[in-house]
Amino acid sequence: MNEAEKIDEVEVVVAHNERTTLRVGDVFLKVDAVQERLDVEVEAMAMAPIPTPRVLWRKPPVLALAAVPGTALGRLGEPSTASPAAWAAAGAAVRKLHDAPLPPWPGRSLDDIAAGLDVECEWLITSSVLPAELVTRNREVAEAALRSWTPVFTHGDLQITHVFVDGDEITGVIDWSEASQGDALFDLAILTLGHEERLDDVLAGYGTDVDLDVIRAWWSLRSLTAIRWLTEHGFDPSSPGCEVDVLRARM
């Protein structure tokens, strides 16, 4: 390695007791305690018909990925500076993924999702984390997501920080460890969580009518079920524009 190639620092991108992601120059190193998540990530990226990171090497429990060009579409809790065309391009990429052949592994069952929602709502109320009326109202909204759907190839964790753009073009979608067969509207909801004003742009690119009540339901369900995990792993769901504000918007 010559002087120009030396790495000045190691950036900790994400770190908690389930997984850690480090950036070293143009390489991301993912360390995961659950081998199956890395297996899913590698296979899903190979199957996905949209840009994904290039796998450099793999030595469990570590996966090395090349950085994708561009910048993230945005961040939860912050205004997105990406253009409407970039958001529409994200919608088009999601549609291409949803039209692709299904991955061989199923996602969470409807019964599991409903049971998890009940557990988290009870915890939020009994622990006095949120006002009971806020939880109850959003539990009612979330009910619309608890219906049968035709499974598609879903990313499963399509946060805007996982979608990279250069100008108006999608350059890569990262973090595929939650990919599975699932509900198309779940992906669309996670992509627009906290950025409801961008939903029309995404749907313009997605190119088909969707049930907006179900997307709103997934916003509520995702926020209700994520708050305990986020709190226990050092994140703050009550930050402006984040999960608690998403729940308040349904009031």
Side-chain angles (χ1 to χ4, degrees):
M1 177 180 292
N2 60 37
E3 290 297 323
E5 294 172 325
K6 286 183 178 179
I7 304 300
D8 292 329
E9 62 180 18
V10 175
E11 176 189 357
V12 179
V13 180
V14 175
H16 49 75
N17 60 11
E18 292 181 3
R19 69 190 77 170
T20 298
T21 301
L22 307 174
R23 180 166 187 165
V24 185
D26 289 330
V27 176
F28 284 89
L29 301 176
K30 304 189 73 171
V31 185
D32 201 309
V34 179
Q35 179 61 35
E36 289 75 12
R37 282 197 292 254
L38 291 183
D39 294 340
V40 166
E41 180 147 13
V42 171
E43 188 169 352
M45 289 191 297
M47 295 178 62
I50 58 179
T52 63
R54 180 166 56 93
V55 176
L56 299 176
W57 52 265
R58 184 182 182 195
K59 187 176 181 180
V62 182
L63 174 65
L65 301 170
V68 297
T71 57
L73 193 60
R75 295 183 66 85
L76 185 62
E78 300 176 5
S80 171
T81 59
S83 68
W87 281 87
V94 176
R95 179 59 183 273
K96 191 173 183 179
L97 176 67
H98 291 170
D99 287 342
L102 291 172
W105 55 91
R108 295 178 65 198
S109 71
L110 188 56
D111 287 344
D112 284 347
I113 294 170
L117 175 61
D118 288 340
V119 168
E120 295 306 317
C121 286
E122 181 179 1
W123 177 83
L124 288 168
I125 292 173
T126 58
S127 301
S128 300
V129 174
L130 293 177
E133 60 271 19
L134 181 62
V135 176
T136 300
R137 169 56 183 156
N138 277 275
R139 176 63 181 81
E140 293 170 351
V141 173
E143 189 68 30
L146 302 177
R147 86 280 179 234
S148 60
W149 58 74
T150 301
V152 300
F153 187 169
T154 57
H155 178 278
D157 191 20
L158 201 63
Q159 304 175 48
I160 54 175
T161 51
H162 294 164
V163 180
F164 280 71
V165 296
D166 184 2
D168 298 337
E169 296 184 4
I170 301 298
T171 56
V173 177
I174 67 172
D175 285 357
W176 290 82
S177 61
E178 304 298 326
S180 69
Q181 300 177 27
D183 180 12
L185 300 192
F186 177 77
D187 269 353
L188 293 172
I190 301 309
L191 179 62
T192 54
L193 183 76
H195 289 271
E196 300 178 21
E197 75 283 356
R198 300 291 196 158
L199 180 58
D200 286 345
D201 296 327
V202 169
L203 295 182
Y206 194 72
T208 188
D209 291 336
V210 303
D211 189 331
L212 298 181
D213 285 339
V214 174
I215 289 183
R216 296 185 187 101
W218 278 123
W219 286 337
S220 290
L221 196 154
R222 168 72 170 208
S223 298
L224 288 169
T225 56
I227 286 175
R228 177 170 17 187
W229 187 95
L230 291 167
T231 301
E232 291 177 348
H233 289 81
F235 301 98
D236 184 4
S238 64
S239 295
C242 294
E243 285 80 5
V244 175
D245 277 354
V246 170
L247 296 175
R248 288 177 178 143
R250 302 282 73 78
M251 300 296 284

